[in-house]
Amino acid sequence: MYDIAIIGAGPAGASAAIFTAKAGKKTVLIDNDKSMTKRAWIENHYGVPEITGPDLIETGKKQAAKFGAELVTAQATNIEKTENGFRIQTENGTFEAKHVILATGVAVDLAEKIGVKTKQGTEPRIKTIIDADANGRTNIEGIWAAGTVAGVSVHTIITAGDGAKVAINVISELNGERYVDHDILQSK
């Protein structure tokens, strides 16, 4: 069983996976390879002068894998509550996790199918979003939302930050205390 399953490997999902895996949480990152970021040219992402969306996504996935996240290319088709968490069904198999982070970009169909509350979006062209609180919690305990699907701006720097924030909140809940990930520069 995974500690955390993240559905969607765009900036929000991959960022969440980087934090959860680096924190030592057994993480699976499930992605259908249809992120809207794959069509983007990015020049406004802090620390990155310019990058294509596909390159940003691949960099994020590689970084998550570096820390131990398992990457799965598949479409998540259903999520069911179990005694110890959730069972995520995909077209390629089933995964079990204690917590789920939905980072599905503009797609809310899976969330609506499993009873996660949605509401009208506020971003241009984003009609519906998941109704999540400021920490990323949804109406279903153990299911979280991050990034555009949670109502934050579509800009990659913002969705990546939101994914990290939600991951920190999930890690903190699993640990029973506030989690901080801050590496110290080592002198040479």
Side-chain angles (χ1 to χ4, degrees):
M1 173 176 280
Y2 294 91
D3 294 308
I4 303 163
I6 301 164
I7 301 174
S15 182
I18 290 165
F19 274 80
T20 59
K22 190 169 183 271
K25 303 303 178 193
K26 190 171 180 188
T27 301
V28 62
L29 180 58
I30 302 167
D31 186 56
N32 65 8
D33 201 31
K34 295 178 183 173
S35 171
M36 70 176 155
T37 303
K38 289 198 136 212
R39 298 184 307 270
W41 171 254
I42 303 153
E43 293 183 354
N44 60 355
H45 196 103
Y46 175 79
V48 182
E50 60 186 38
I51 192 167
T52 68
D55 286 345
L56 183 67
I57 289 172
E58 287 309 307
T59 299
K61 290 195 297 191
K62 285 178 187 171
Q63 199 171 356
K66 169 188 164 186
F67 292 117
E70 181 180 335
L71 306 179
V72 175
T73 301
Q75 178 71 46
T77 57
N78 198 21
I79 301 172
E80 299 171 331
K81 183 81 175 124
T82 66
E83 188 176 313
N84 298 317
F86 300 92
R87 182 176 301 111
I88 301 99
Q89 295 174 350
T90 75
E91 60 195 4
N92 299 343
T94 303
F95 303 87
E96 293 195 4
K98 295 174 189 167
H99 290 267
V100 175
I101 299 174
L102 298 172
T104 53
V106 297
V108 294
D109 51 335
L110 178 61
E112 289 177 333
K113 177 180 180 179
I114 63 171
V116 172
K117 289 183 183 173
T118 59
K119 63 183 182 181
Q120 185 173 348
T122 58
E123 285 288 298
R125 298 182 302 278
I126 308 296
K127 291 182 171 48
T128 307
I129 59 172
I130 291 173
D131 188 1
D133 70 12
N135 292 319
R137 294 178 190 279
T138 71
N139 62 299
I140 299 176
E141 187 175 342
I143 296 186
W144 306 69
T148 302
V149 79
V152 303
S153 172
V154 299
H155 296 92
T156 61
I157 191 72
I158 297 170
T159 60
D162 194 60
K165 174 195 78 174
V166 172
I168 292 291
N169 293 332
V170 176
I171 296 163
S172 297
E173 186 166 300
L174 286 168
N175 290 351
E177 63 183 12
R178 191 68 183 158
Y179 174 77
V180 175
D181 179 357
H182 185 78
D183 297 323
I184 305 290
L185 182 64
Q186 302 297 313
S187 59
K188 295 180 180 184

